[in-house]
Amino acid sequence: MRYCKREKITFTRSRPYKKNDNAHVEQKNWEAIRKVVGYARLDTEKQLATLNELYRGPLRLYLNYFQPTRKRKLVTTNTENGKKHKSYFEAKTPYQRVMEHPNIPEDMKAMLQSEYSNLNPTKLLAEIHELLARLRRDLG
């Protein structure tokens, strides 16, 4: 909310007439946060600082550079039995998708390539586990 006010962005909870928007937000929360951190109540300043360090640092880098996701290509419905068949594009990381996109400026791609070449997924995972252990200690 503070970010939206500072940037003069109208803050709304969902788009008008799109009642299922929240499901998409929750799906991303599951992938990026809940799957890693869980559902424990984290409400102290220390926990917030650790969560921000986790999400802005190693978790963001690991998910964007090393975790492939599949994007849906097509959904077809069989008219005889009503079953849906979903087909997907090849699984790629968000980094790969950006690098393949023709409208991304070359200087941005070079910056991302430089960042990627300095990353070590094993080190990122170790940092993630260290921050998660700190969160667990703060819970108890």
Side-chain angles (χ1 to χ4, degrees):
M1 181 66 119
R2 287 187 300 245
Y3 174 80
C4 289
K5 282 183 180 177
R6 185 175 63 240
E7 299 297 321
K8 295 181 176 73
I9 298 170
T10 303
F11 183 80
T12 60
R13 298 217 179 267
S14 64
R15 297 175 298 170
Y17 311 108
K18 303 286 186 183
K19 65 181 181 179
N20 292 332
D21 272 2
N22 197 38
H24 301 288
V25 170
E26 289 302 320
Q27 180 182 9
K28 271 299 181 199
N29 281 345
W30 165 250
E31 286 298 320
I33 298 296
R34 299 292 179 213
K35 204 184 227 183
V36 176
V37 177
Y39 286 90
R41 184 174 177 101
L42 305 169
D43 54 3
T44 67
E45 290 294 324
K46 191 174 181 182
Q47 292 166 338
L48 175 62
T50 304
L51 272 177
N52 285 336
E53 186 179 345
L54 173 69
Y55 193 67
R56 292 178 181 155
L59 184 60
R60 175 188 63 84
L61 294 170
Y62 186 75
L63 291 175
N64 286 327
Y65 284 100
F66 299 106
Q67 282 296 296
T69 58
R70 295 188 311 168
K71 292 221 177 248
R72 190 177 304 151
K73 185 188 317 185
L74 182 66
V75 177
T76 56
T77 305
N78 184 327
T79 55
E80 293 176 14
N81 59 17
K83 288 187 179 182
K84 291 184 179 183
H85 175 74
K86 299 172 187 172
S87 59
Y88 297 87
F89 291 105
E90 177 186 352
K92 295 180 183 177
T93 65
Y95 166 71
Q96 289 170 319
R97 291 181 205 288
V98 167
M99 295 305 279
E100 292 174 358
H101 199 284
N103 295 341
I104 304 298
E106 288 303 317
D107 58 333
M108 178 65 74
K109 288 182 180 181
M111 188 271 303
L112 292 171
Q113 175 65 39
S114 172
E115 185 174 48
Y116 176 73
S117 65
N118 292 321
L119 293 175
N120 179 337
T122 306
K123 184 179 174 191
L124 288 174
L125 278 175
E127 291 176 37
I128 290 168
H129 290 300
E130 179 185 322
L131 289 167
L132 289 174
R134 189 187 320 163
L135 271 178
R136 286 188 205 98
R137 282 192 307 269
D138 292 346
L139 281 174

